Amino acid sequence: MRITKSVFIILLLFLSLSCGKNNNESVNENLSLNEQIDQYIENNDYETALTLLEKQDREDPEVKTLLEKTHLNYGLHSMGTFDAGEMRTRMNNALVQFTEVLKINPDNRVAREQIEQIMSVYSTMSDRSPDPEVLEGLREIGMNY
């Protein structure tokens, strides 16, 4: 699947906005859960956001939405590396995050498109592929590569 020009522009805009953030900025714990997660995402502190969300009731629709949003943004952020040495690690992480999004919401088009985009790049490199456990996660959600 080819990435459309508008999706590519949005991705570049997201990456340019997120590159300058410092994930050591503190988040006000008196804010609502939604506001705290937004701040963690803005600070590119996805692990802390996910840790906070894992302590919540995962059946709560708001928590599900926040988990989906956090995993999606984490995946997009992981794709934002241009360091060839870290590329495989970052793409594996992106695939894991997008897989988590689709476990929460199988209809998330952005996550599905990004998985397809990453896997199409891998298909052009005969000597490279995602880690086996990443491929297993994709198979669990019905995406066989």
Side-chain angles (χ1 to χ4, degrees), residues 58-69:
R58 291 181 58 100
E59 295 306 312
D60 180 328
E62 179 186 8
V63 173
K64 282 185 176 183
T65 299
L66 292 172
L67 280 164
E68 179 182 358
K69 178 168 110 175

Side-chain angles (χ1 to χ4, degrees), residues 44-57:
N44 297 321
D45 192 357
Y46 304 101
E47 292 296 331
T48 303
L50 290 170
T51 298
L52 176 60
L53 289 168
E54 291 300 325
K55 296 175 185 174
Q56 309 300 315
D57 176 8

Side-chain angles (χ1 to χ4, degrees), residues 3-112:
I3 190 166
T4 64
K5 185 176 181 180
S6 59
V7 171
F8 182 72
I9 290 170
I10 291 169
L11 184 58
L12 284 178
L13 178 61
F14 171 81
L15 294 173
S16 68
L17 292 173
S18 66
C19 286
K21 296 292 181 183
N22 178 357
N23 68 356
N24 292 326
E25 296 177 30
S26 64
V27 170
N28 184 342
E29 294 178 8
N30 294 321
L31 297 173
S32 71
L33 180 62
N34 192 16
E35 292 169 322
Q36 287 181 58
I37 296 304
D38 283 346
Q39 282 194 354
Y40 285 123
I41 289 171
E42 185 176 319
N43 295 339
N44 297 321
D45 192 357
Y46 304 101
E47 292 296 331
T48 303
L50 290 170
T51 298
L52 176 60
L53 289 168
E54 291 300 325
K55 296 175 185 174
Q56 309 300 315
D57 176 8
R58 291 181 58 100
E59 295 306 312
D60 180 328
E62 179 186 8
V63 173
K64 282 185 176 183
T65 299
L66 292 172
L67 280 164
E68 179 182 358
K69 178 168 110 175
T70 303
H71 283 294
L72 183 66
N73 279 281
Y74 196 3
L76 292 170
H77 177 75
S78 292
M79 290 179 67
T81 185
F82 297 103
D83 178 355
E86 289 185 18
M87 186 64 74
R88 184 167 190 261
T89 300
R90 300 288 295 253
M91 291 305 106
N92 276 317
N93 185 57
L95 288 168
V96 167
Q97 300 309 318
F98 296 139
T99 298
E100 290 300 317
V101 169
L102 293 176
K103 286 179 182 176
I104 297 164
N105 177 7
D107 297 324
N108 189 300
R109 187 178 52 85
V110 174
R112 197 166 294 282

